[in-house]
Amino acid sequence: MKLNEYQIQAETTAIYPNEYAIVYPALGLTGEAGEVADKVKKIIRDGEPHLFYKDDIAKELGDVLWYVAIL
């Protein structure tokens, strides 16, 4: 799927007040990026990339991409 197609699909699930069309997804993006960073931090702390963390990172990156598409 190309980014433009993903953006169209993402817009169908973007439910928030219209007056926050920039602020809401920007805050969501920073929150999700922070969750990715936290998972990476745990990999560093634990000394190896456990499968659990890799799966979590992949899920969080999906959320990051959703917010990027909406912005």
Side-chain angles (χ1 to χ4, degrees), residues 10-55:
E11 287 176 351
T12 66
T13 61
I15 302 169
Y16 48 84
N18 203 27
E19 65 265 23
Y20 298 109
I22 298 295
V23 174
Y24 184 88
L27 292 173
L29 174 59
T30 59
E32 296 299 337
E35 290 187 42
V36 171
D38 191 52
K39 305 294 184 199
V40 172
K41 176 196 73 171
K42 289 177 181 176
I43 290 172
I44 293 169
R45 178 196 66 198
D46 295 343
E48 60 183 83
H50 298 287
L51 182 59
F52 173 77
Y53 297 137
K54 287 183 176 181
D55 289 345

